[in-house]
Amino acid sequence: RDELMFSYKGILYPITICSAEAFKALESFEARSDDVILAAYPKSGTNWLRRILIDLIAISQKKTPGEEGSGNAEKPEEIPYLEVGDPEKYERMTKLPSPRFMATHLYPENLPTSIFRNKVKILLLIRNPKDVATSFFHFSNGVAIFPSYETWDDFFTDFMSKKVAWGCYFEYLSEWNKHIDKENIMTITYEELKENRALGVKNIAAFFGIPLTEEELQLVVERSSFRSMKKKSEKTHGTIGSILFRKGGVRDWKNLFSEDQNEKMDKVFEEQVAGTKLGKMLKYDVYCK
Ligand code: A3P
């Protein structure tokens, strides 16, 4: 773990894609009021929402999502991670036309203050902590940027003690909870999107002011199905595609958590998150019991 991660302001990050220099440069990043930000803790379904956003952007630009030669790429790099890259990246971003799209796994307090000052629209995606931990464990063992774990128990211990990349999910939730009443922030859960993708896509489009015909809506819904994304994963994500699109469901945690681990997480959730608005949105009793 020590070789693959570094600590910045008390949070671990993967050293192969992040750096303290870039984080320092990010502090003075000047957000534009028409920037668009997708915020999600790792393994919450970030790439799913990136797909939906990329297609909605294409529609708002009068292009057909995924159509050859329409100029809209299939790749998630269209929505790059704000905190991933070299320190000069922010200078380069000043030259990009509006609107700029970016994703982030950062706690809100580690985002550049201009994002909040300029009331940038933020789509916050959250997922139930037991499935997040499960997904994170499998992903850590599948990709080189994260440490791999011999046992699930080892990963669980790290997940519960802020020793995984991008910090502690419970802290993440309680920090973001302080912001979610702002009009420029929309929150969506992985589980509600899983239950009703069409409604989720409609709500997201409405939040960004993108009008959708029924046909366009159906296209975005179809292209964001797990099956369809998994099928194209090599084209869109390269070799990590097959690892990233793993199961795409809810309650897979039941295959990993011991009774003791269940109790531990339930207790922490109860103490730190359950009473908050975000905590209630997660419907913990439905998805984590
Ligand atoms: P699992 O590991 O539980 O399968 P992220 O993109 O933030 O890394 O999150 C990855 C998780 O989102 C994985 O969860 C992945 O399968 C799931 N996911 C990706 N696309 C999805 C889709 N279209 N529908 C449902 N889940 C999806």
mmCIF file of all heavy atoms in Angstrom, residues 40-48 81 105 125 127 131 134-136 138-139 190 194 197 224-227 229 243-249 252, ligand 1:
data_model
loop_
_atom_site.group_PDB
_atom_site.id
_atom_site.type_symbol
_atom_site.label_atom_id
_atom_site.label_comp_id
_atom_site.label_asym_id
_atom_site.label_seq_id
_atom_site.Cartn_x
_atom_site.Cartn_y
_atom_site.Cartn_z
ATOM 1 N N ALA A 40 -18.694 11.764 -7.203
ATOM 2 C CA ALA A 40 -19.044 10.426 -6.693
ATOM 3 C C ALA A 40 -17.818 9.804 -6.050
ATOM 4 O O ALA A 40 -16.709 9.947 -6.564
ATOM 5 C CB ALA A 40 -19.531 9.530 -7.830
ATOM 6 N N TYR A 41 -18.024 9.125 -4.951
ATOM 7 C CA TYR A 41 -16.945 8.350 -4.337
ATOM 8 C C TYR A 41 -16.634 7.179 -5.280
ATOM 9 O O TYR A 41 -17.530 6.700 -5.989
ATOM 10 C CB TYR A 41 -17.426 7.854 -2.963
ATOM 11 C CG TYR A 41 -16.380 7.159 -2.129
ATOM 12 C CD1 TYR A 41 -15.442 7.884 -1.405
ATOM 13 C CD2 TYR A 41 -16.342 5.766 -2.060
ATOM 14 C CE1 TYR A 41 -14.482 7.231 -0.632
ATOM 15 C CE2 TYR A 41 -15.391 5.116 -1.291
ATOM 16 C CZ TYR A 41 -14.459 5.857 -0.577
ATOM 17 O OH TYR A 41 -13.518 5.213 0.189
ATOM 18 N N PRO A 42 -15.364 6.719 -5.298
ATOM 19 C CA PRO A 42 -15.032 5.600 -6.196
ATOM 20 C C PRO A 42 -16.004 4.425 -6.013
ATOM 21 O O PRO A 42 -16.414 4.120 -4.886
ATOM 22 C CB PRO A 42 -13.622 5.190 -5.752
ATOM 23 C CG PRO A 42 -13.035 6.420 -5.143
ATOM 24 C CD PRO A 42 -14.188 7.168 -4.536
ATOM 25 N N LYS A 43 -16.337 3.813 -7.117
ATOM 26 C CA LYS A 43 -17.193 2.616 -7.173
ATOM 27 C C LYS A 43 -18.670 2.857 -6.928
ATOM 28 O O LYS A 43 -19.433 1.932 -6.666
ATOM 29 C CB LYS A 43 -16.678 1.501 -6.224
ATOM 30 C CG LYS A 43 -15.222 1.204 -6.289
ATOM 31 C CD LYS A 43 -14.639 1.239 -7.675
ATOM 32 C CE LYS A 43 -15.183 0.161 -8.577
ATOM 33 N NZ LYS A 43 -14.737 0.415 -9.994
ATOM 34 N N SER A 44 -19.072 4.116 -7.017
ATOM 35 C CA SER A 44 -20.487 4.428 -6.828
ATOM 36 C C SER A 44 -21.271 4.365 -8.132
ATOM 37 O O SER A 44 -22.484 4.591 -8.133
ATOM 38 C CB SER A 44 -20.636 5.832 -6.240
ATOM 39 O OG SER A 44 -19.923 5.927 -5.043
ATOM 40 N N GLY A 45 -20.572 4.118 -9.238
ATOM 41 C CA GLY A 45 -21.239 4.121 -10.538
ATOM 42 C C GLY A 45 -20.852 5.333 -11.377
ATOM 43 O O GLY A 45 -21.593 5.745 -12.271
ATOM 44 N N THR A 46 -19.675 5.877 -11.102
ATOM 45 C CA THR A 46 -19.198 7.078 -11.797
ATOM 46 C C THR A 46 -19.228 6.900 -13.323
ATOM 47 O O THR A 46 -19.700 7.785 -14.050
ATOM 48 C CB THR A 46 -17.741 7.397 -11.382
ATOM 49 O OG1 THR A 46 -17.556 7.045 -10.016
ATOM 50 C CG2 THR A 46 -17.426 8.861 -11.591
ATOM 51 N N ASN A 47 -18.751 5.755 -13.776
ATOM 52 C CA ASN A 47 -18.672 5.544 -15.231
ATOM 53 C C ASN A 47 -20.047 5.384 -15.874
ATOM 54 O O ASN A 47 -20.232 5.692 -17.055
ATOM 55 C CB ASN A 47 -17.788 4.330 -15.531
ATOM 56 C CG ASN A 47 -16.324 4.678 -15.336
ATOM 57 O OD1 ASN A 47 -15.701 5.278 -16.204
ATOM 58 N ND2 ASN A 47 -15.796 4.361 -14.156
ATOM 59 N N TRP A 48 -20.975 4.924 -15.101
ATOM 60 C CA TRP A 48 -22.367 4.820 -15.566
ATOM 61 C C TRP A 48 -22.919 6.224 -15.830
ATOM 62 O O TRP A 48 -23.482 6.529 -16.881
ATOM 63 C CB TRP A 48 -23.169 4.114 -14.479
ATOM 64 C CG TRP A 48 -24.536 3.683 -14.835
ATOM 65 C CD1 TRP A 48 -25.108 3.665 -16.083
ATOM 66 C CD2 TRP A 48 -25.511 3.179 -13.917
ATOM 67 N NE1 TRP A 48 -26.386 3.177 -15.980
ATOM 68 C CE2 TRP A 48 -26.662 2.869 -14.681
ATOM 69 C CE3 TRP A 48 -25.534 2.945 -12.543
ATOM 70 C CZ2 TRP A 48 -27.821 2.352 -14.099
ATOM 71 C CZ3 TRP A 48 -26.675 2.431 -11.968
ATOM 72 C CH2 TRP A 48 -27.804 2.144 -12.736
ATOM 73 N N TYR A 81 -11.337 13.184 -14.878
ATOM 74 C CA TYR A 81 -11.327 13.420 -13.435
ATOM 75 C C TYR A 81 -10.533 14.681 -13.143
ATOM 76 O O TYR A 81 -9.389 14.820 -13.565
ATOM 77 C CB TYR A 81 -10.705 12.236 -12.698
ATOM 78 C CG TYR A 81 -11.624 11.054 -12.646
ATOM 79 C CD1 TYR A 81 -11.411 9.952 -13.457
ATOM 80 C CD2 TYR A 81 -12.712 11.048 -11.784
ATOM 81 C CE1 TYR A 81 -12.272 8.867 -13.431
ATOM 82 C CE2 TYR A 81 -13.587 9.977 -11.742
ATOM 83 C CZ TYR A 81 -13.355 8.879 -12.572
ATOM 84 O OH TYR A 81 -14.204 7.812 -12.544
ATOM 85 N N HIS A 105 -13.778 12.541 -7.408
ATOM 86 C CA HIS A 105 -14.048 11.706 -6.234
ATOM 87 C C HIS A 105 -13.742 12.479 -4.943
ATOM 88 O O HIS A 105 -13.767 11.916 -3.859
ATOM 89 C CB HIS A 105 -13.147 10.463 -6.229
ATOM 90 C CG HIS A 105 -13.388 9.493 -7.342
ATOM 91 N ND1 HIS A 105 -14.637 9.108 -7.744
ATOM 92 C CD2 HIS A 105 -12.523 8.774 -8.112
ATOM 93 C CE1 HIS A 105 -14.526 8.211 -8.725
ATOM 94 N NE2 HIS A 105 -13.253 7.995 -8.958
ATOM 95 N N LEU A 125 -23.550 11.681 -7.044
ATOM 96 C CA LEU A 125 -24.025 10.296 -7.122
ATOM 97 C C LEU A 125 -23.584 9.544 -5.876
ATOM 98 O O LEU A 125 -22.402 9.575 -5.512
ATOM 99 C CB LEU A 125 -23.411 9.639 -8.365
ATOM 100 C CG LEU A 125 -23.515 8.116 -8.476
ATOM 101 C CD1 LEU A 125 -24.959 7.674 -8.694
ATOM 102 C CD2 LEU A 125 -22.636 7.604 -9.609
ATOM 103 N N ARG A 127 -24.037 5.746 -3.463
ATOM 104 C CA ARG A 127 -24.418 4.324 -3.533
ATOM 105 C C ARG A 127 -24.292 3.729 -2.138
ATOM 106 O O ARG A 127 -23.500 4.220 -1.318
ATOM 107 C CB ARG A 127 -23.465 3.605 -4.500
ATOM 108 C CG ARG A 127 -23.813 2.158 -4.783
ATOM 109 C CD ARG A 127 -22.780 1.489 -5.685
ATOM 110 N NE ARG A 127 -23.218 0.175 -6.112
ATOM 111 C CZ ARG A 127 -22.492 -0.672 -6.827
ATOM 112 N NH1 ARG A 127 -21.263 -0.337 -7.208
ATOM 113 N NH2 ARG A 127 -22.967 -1.860 -7.167
ATOM 114 N N ASP A 131 -22.278 -2.097 -0.858
ATOM 115 C CA ASP A 131 -21.969 -2.423 -2.252
ATOM 116 C C ASP A 131 -20.756 -1.644 -2.758
ATOM 117 O O ASP A 131 -19.990 -2.143 -3.589
ATOM 118 C CB ASP A 131 -23.183 -2.167 -3.154
ATOM 119 C CG ASP A 131 -24.215 -3.290 -3.068
ATOM 120 O OD1 ASP A 131 -23.816 -4.442 -2.787
ATOM 121 O OD2 ASP A 131 -25.413 -3.022 -3.277
ATOM 122 N N THR A 134 -17.781 -3.550 -1.498
ATOM 123 C CA THR A 134 -17.663 -4.800 -2.260
ATOM 124 C C THR A 134 -17.052 -4.539 -3.634
ATOM 125 O O THR A 134 -16.105 -5.212 -4.061
ATOM 126 C CB THR A 134 -19.069 -5.438 -2.410
ATOM 127 O OG1 THR A 134 -19.596 -5.660 -1.109
ATOM 128 C CG2 THR A 134 -19.006 -6.743 -3.178
ATOM 129 N N SER A 135 -17.587 -3.534 -4.312
ATOM 130 C CA SER A 135 -17.093 -3.191 -5.638
ATOM 131 C C SER A 135 -15.627 -2.727 -5.582
ATOM 132 O O SER A 135 -14.797 -3.098 -6.418
ATOM 133 C CB SER A 135 -17.981 -2.092 -6.230
ATOM 134 O OG SER A 135 -17.560 -1.723 -7.508
ATOM 135 N N PHE A 136 -15.327 -1.945 -4.561
ATOM 136 C CA PHE A 136 -13.971 -1.397 -4.378
ATOM 137 C C PHE A 136 -12.960 -2.533 -4.139
ATOM 138 O O PHE A 136 -11.845 -2.525 -4.664
ATOM 139 C CB PHE A 136 -13.972 -0.431 -3.186
ATOM 140 C CG PHE A 136 -12.990 0.716 -3.281
ATOM 141 C CD1 PHE A 136 -13.221 1.894 -2.559
ATOM 142 C CD2 PHE A 136 -11.855 0.636 -4.071
ATOM 143 C CE1 PHE A 136 -12.335 2.974 -2.628
ATOM 144 C CE2 PHE A 136 -10.957 1.720 -4.138
ATOM 145 C CZ PHE A 136 -11.200 2.876 -3.417
ATOM 146 N N HIS A 138 -13.137 -5.701 -5.169
ATOM 147 C CA HIS A 138 -12.872 -6.429 -6.413
ATOM 148 C C HIS A 138 -12.041 -5.587 -7.382
ATOM 149 O O HIS A 138 -11.143 -6.087 -8.045
ATOM 150 C CB HIS A 138 -14.188 -6.852 -7.071
ATOM 151 C CG HIS A 138 -14.910 -7.912 -6.297
ATOM 152 N ND1 HIS A 138 -14.400 -9.183 -6.136
ATOM 153 C CD2 HIS A 138 -16.091 -7.894 -5.629
ATOM 154 C CE1 HIS A 138 -15.250 -9.907 -5.409
ATOM 155 N NE2 HIS A 138 -16.275 -9.147 -5.077
ATOM 156 N N PHE A 139 -12.354 -4.293 -7.427
ATOM 157 C CA PHE A 139 -11.632 -3.412 -8.354
ATOM 158 C C PHE A 139 -10.171 -3.257 -7.931
ATOM 159 O O PHE A 139 -9.267 -3.287 -8.762
ATOM 160 C CB PHE A 139 -12.333 -2.048 -8.407
ATOM 161 C CG PHE A 139 -11.913 -1.196 -9.571
ATOM 162 C CD1 PHE A 139 -12.196 -1.579 -10.869
ATOM 163 C CD2 PHE A 139 -11.231 -0.001 -9.362
ATOM 164 C CE1 PHE A 139 -11.811 -0.792 -11.953
ATOM 165 C CE2 PHE A 139 -10.849 0.799 -10.442
ATOM 166 C CZ PHE A 139 -11.140 0.401 -11.734
ATOM 167 N N TYR A 190 -27.415 5.432 -6.848
ATOM 168 C CA TYR A 190 -27.189 4.306 -7.756
ATOM 169 C C TYR A 190 -28.438 3.429 -7.794
ATOM 170 O O TYR A 190 -28.884 2.993 -8.855
ATOM 171 C CB TYR A 190 -25.995 3.502 -7.227
ATOM 172 C CG TYR A 190 -25.624 2.272 -8.016
ATOM 173 C CD1 TYR A 190 -24.596 2.314 -8.952
ATOM 174 C CD2 TYR A 190 -26.285 1.056 -7.813
ATOM 175 C CE1 TYR A 190 -24.244 1.183 -9.673
ATOM 176 C CE2 TYR A 190 -25.935 -0.077 -8.528
ATOM 177 C CZ TYR A 190 -24.908 -0.015 -9.459
ATOM 178 O OH TYR A 190 -24.563 -1.133 -10.165
ATOM 179 N N LYS A 194 -30.893 2.368 -10.812
ATOM 180 C CA LYS A 194 -31.012 0.945 -11.139
ATOM 181 C C LYS A 194 -32.496 0.555 -11.224
ATOM 182 O O LYS A 194 -32.879 -0.238 -12.078
ATOM 183 C CB LYS A 194 -30.306 0.158 -10.024
ATOM 184 C CG LYS A 194 -30.180 -1.308 -10.228
ATOM 185 C CD LYS A 194 -29.011 -1.677 -11.113
ATOM 186 C CE LYS A 194 -29.266 -3.058 -11.693
ATOM 187 N NZ LYS A 194 -28.418 -3.372 -12.810
ATOM 188 N N ARG A 197 -34.233 3.644 -14.683
ATOM 189 C CA ARG A 197 -33.235 4.414 -15.422
ATOM 190 C C ARG A 197 -33.868 5.576 -16.184
ATOM 191 O O ARG A 197 -33.322 6.668 -16.246
ATOM 192 C CB ARG A 197 -32.481 3.494 -16.374
ATOM 193 C CG ARG A 197 -31.032 3.825 -16.446
ATOM 194 C CD ARG A 197 -30.158 2.686 -16.928
ATOM 195 N NE ARG A 197 -30.512 2.156 -18.209
ATOM 196 C CZ ARG A 197 -30.975 0.918 -18.414
ATOM 197 N NH1 ARG A 197 -31.159 0.116 -17.390
ATOM 198 N NH2 ARG A 197 -31.245 0.491 -19.624
ATOM 199 N N SER A 224 -27.268 3.141 -21.736
ATOM 200 C CA SER A 224 -26.684 3.129 -20.397
ATOM 201 C C SER A 224 -27.059 1.867 -19.617
ATOM 202 O O SER A 224 -26.838 1.796 -18.417
ATOM 203 C CB SER A 224 -27.102 4.386 -19.628
ATOM 204 O OG SER A 224 -28.505 4.437 -19.507
ATOM 205 N N SER A 225 -27.618 0.881 -20.313
ATOM 206 C CA SER A 225 -27.897 -0.381 -19.612
ATOM 207 C C SER A 225 -26.568 -1.061 -19.304
ATOM 208 O O SER A 225 -25.573 -0.867 -20.009
ATOM 209 C CB SER A 225 -28.767 -1.306 -20.463
ATOM 210 O OG SER A 225 -27.993 -1.892 -21.489
ATOM 211 N N PHE A 226 -26.555 -1.840 -18.249
ATOM 212 C CA PHE A 226 -25.320 -2.535 -17.866
ATOM 213 C C PHE A 226 -24.846 -3.424 -19.013
ATOM 214 O O PHE A 226 -23.670 -3.447 -19.362
ATOM 215 C CB PHE A 226 -25.555 -3.357 -16.591
ATOM 216 C CG PHE A 226 -24.319 -4.062 -16.112
ATOM 217 C CD1 PHE A 226 -23.300 -3.355 -15.494
ATOM 218 C CD2 PHE A 226 -24.166 -5.424 -16.307
ATOM 219 C CE1 PHE A 226 -22.144 -3.997 -15.069
ATOM 220 C CE2 PHE A 226 -23.012 -6.073 -15.883
ATOM 221 C CZ PHE A 226 -22.005 -5.355 -15.257
ATOM 222 N N ARG A 227 -25.802 -4.134 -19.600
ATOM 223 C CA ARG A 227 -25.460 -5.064 -20.679
ATOM 224 C C ARG A 227 -24.793 -4.339 -21.849
ATOM 225 O O ARG A 227 -23.738 -4.751 -22.345
ATOM 226 C CB ARG A 227 -26.734 -5.762 -21.158
ATOM 227 C CG ARG A 227 -26.532 -7.147 -21.723
ATOM 228 C CD ARG A 227 -27.882 -7.854 -21.838
ATOM 229 N NE ARG A 227 -28.922 -6.926 -22.311
ATOM 230 C CZ ARG A 227 -29.288 -6.796 -23.576
ATOM 231 N NH1 ARG A 227 -28.735 -7.547 -24.504
ATOM 232 N NH2 ARG A 227 -30.217 -5.936 -23.930
ATOM 233 N N MET A 229 -23.350 -1.389 -21.852
ATOM 234 C CA MET A 229 -22.065 -0.779 -21.492
ATOM 235 C C MET A 229 -20.973 -1.837 -21.363
ATOM 236 O O MET A 229 -19.826 -1.615 -21.733
ATOM 237 C CB MET A 229 -22.197 0.025 -20.198
ATOM 238 C CG MET A 229 -22.987 1.316 -20.397
ATOM 239 S SD MET A 229 -23.004 2.357 -18.938
ATOM 240 C CE MET A 229 -21.294 2.880 -18.824
ATOM 241 N N ILE A 243 -13.101 -5.503 -15.912
ATOM 242 C CA ILE A 243 -13.019 -5.471 -14.445
ATOM 243 C C ILE A 243 -14.020 -4.449 -13.892
ATOM 244 O O ILE A 243 -14.663 -4.664 -12.873
ATOM 245 C CB ILE A 243 -11.588 -5.107 -14.001
ATOM 246 C CG1 ILE A 243 -10.612 -6.165 -14.517
ATOM 247 C CG2 ILE A 243 -11.464 -4.959 -12.494
ATOM 248 C CD1 ILE A 243 -9.207 -5.665 -14.709
ATOM 249 N N LEU A 244 -14.123 -3.346 -14.611
ATOM 250 C CA LEU A 244 -14.996 -2.252 -14.160
ATOM 251 C C LEU A 244 -16.472 -2.648 -14.189
ATOM 252 O O LEU A 244 -17.204 -2.433 -13.230
ATOM 253 C CB LEU A 244 -14.759 -1.038 -15.061
ATOM 254 C CG LEU A 244 -15.496 0.229 -14.687
ATOM 255 C CD1 LEU A 244 -14.956 0.806 -13.396
ATOM 256 C CD2 LEU A 244 -15.356 1.262 -15.785
ATOM 257 N N PHE A 245 -16.904 -3.241 -15.311
ATOM 258 C CA PHE A 245 -18.313 -3.633 -15.428
ATOM 259 C C PHE A 245 -18.436 -5.057 -14.890
ATOM 260 O O PHE A 245 -18.448 -6.017 -15.630
ATOM 261 C CB PHE A 245 -18.783 -3.507 -16.878
ATOM 262 C CG PHE A 245 -18.691 -2.081 -17.358
ATOM 263 C CD1 PHE A 245 -17.579 -1.632 -18.059
ATOM 264 C CD2 PHE A 245 -19.686 -1.165 -17.050
ATOM 265 C CE1 PHE A 245 -17.468 -0.310 -18.461
ATOM 266 C CE2 PHE A 245 -19.583 0.156 -17.446
ATOM 267 C CZ PHE A 245 -18.473 0.588 -18.148
ATOM 268 N N ARG A 246 -18.490 -5.170 -13.610
ATOM 269 C CA ARG A 246 -18.381 -6.445 -12.923
ATOM 270 C C ARG A 246 -19.754 -7.107 -12.811
ATOM 271 O O ARG A 246 -20.061 -8.030 -13.541
ATOM 272 C CB ARG A 246 -17.753 -6.205 -11.544
ATOM 273 C CG ARG A 246 -17.250 -7.433 -10.821
ATOM 274 C CD ARG A 246 -16.730 -7.031 -9.448
ATOM 275 N NE ARG A 246 -17.772 -6.407 -8.636
ATOM 276 C CZ ARG A 246 -18.578 -7.061 -7.806
ATOM 277 N NH1 ARG A 246 -18.457 -8.352 -7.656
ATOM 278 N NH2 ARG A 246 -19.504 -6.421 -7.117
ATOM 279 N N LYS A 247 -20.593 -6.614 -11.910
ATOM 280 C CA LYS A 247 -21.930 -7.203 -11.776
ATOM 281 C C LYS A 247 -23.031 -6.175 -12.009
ATOM 282 O O LYS A 247 -24.092 -6.490 -12.491
ATOM 283 C CB LYS A 247 -22.094 -7.810 -10.382
ATOM 284 C CG LYS A 247 -21.363 -9.131 -10.213
ATOM 285 C CD LYS A 247 -21.895 -9.868 -8.997
ATOM 286 C CE LYS A 247 -21.291 -11.254 -8.905
ATOM 287 N NZ LYS A 247 -21.591 -11.890 -7.605
ATOM 288 N N GLY A 248 -22.750 -4.950 -11.584
ATOM 289 C CA GLY A 248 -23.710 -3.874 -11.831
ATOM 290 C C GLY A 248 -25.060 -4.066 -11.153
ATOM 291 O O GLY A 248 -26.089 -3.720 -11.714
ATOM 292 N N GLY A 249 -25.048 -4.594 -9.954
ATOM 293 C CA GLY A 249 -26.326 -4.816 -9.284
ATOM 294 C C GLY A 249 -26.346 -4.277 -7.866
ATOM 295 O O GLY A 249 -25.469 -3.516 -7.455
ATOM 296 N N ASP A 252 -24.778 -7.207 -3.734
ATOM 297 C CA ASP A 252 -23.727 -8.223 -3.911
ATOM 298 C C ASP A 252 -22.888 -8.345 -2.639
ATOM 299 O O ASP A 252 -22.189 -9.332 -2.438
ATOM 300 C CB ASP A 252 -22.840 -7.864 -5.119
ATOM 301 C CG ASP A 252 -21.887 -8.994 -5.482
ATOM 302 O OD1 ASP A 252 -22.330 -10.161 -5.447
ATOM 303 O OD2 ASP A 252 -20.704 -8.720 -5.758
HETATM 304 P P1 A3P B 1 -19.927 -3.536 -9.294
HETATM 305 O O1 A3P B 1 -18.472 -3.712 -9.017
HETATM 306 O O2 A3P B 1 -20.774 -3.731 -8.076
HETATM 307 O O3 A3P B 1 -20.396 -4.364 -10.439
HETATM 308 P P2 A3P B 1 -17.336 3.357 -10.778
HETATM 309 O O4 A3P B 1 -17.669 3.655 -12.196
HETATM 310 O O5 A3P B 1 -17.623 4.496 -9.852
HETATM 311 O O6 A3P B 1 -15.969 2.813 -10.644
HETATM 312 O O7 A3P B 1 -18.362 2.225 -10.294
HETATM 313 C C1 A3P B 1 -18.289 0.924 -10.806
HETATM 314 C C2 A3P B 1 -19.545 0.173 -10.422
HETATM 315 O O8 A3P B 1 -20.650 0.654 -11.219
HETATM 316 C C3 A3P B 1 -19.436 -1.326 -10.718
HETATM 317 O O9 A3P B 1 -20.177 -2.000 -9.707
HETATM 318 C C4 A3P B 1 -20.088 -1.402 -12.080
HETATM 319 O O10 A3P B 1 -20.534 -2.687 -12.445
HETATM 320 C C5 A3P B 1 -21.247 -0.444 -11.890
HETATM 321 N N1 A3P B 1 -21.840 -0.029 -13.171
HETATM 322 C C6 A3P B 1 -21.207 0.482 -14.248
HETATM 323 N N2 A3P B 1 -22.069 0.680 -15.255
HETATM 324 C C7 A3P B 1 -23.282 0.288 -14.805
HETATM 325 C C8 A3P B 1 -24.583 0.234 -15.394
HETATM 326 N N3 A3P B 1 -24.803 0.609 -16.655
HETATM 327 N N4 A3P B 1 -25.598 -0.232 -14.624
HETATM 328 C C9 A3P B 1 -25.391 -0.629 -13.360
HETATM 329 N N5 A3P B 1 -24.179 -0.610 -12.761
HETATM 330 C C10 A3P B 1 -23.137 -0.160 -13.471
#
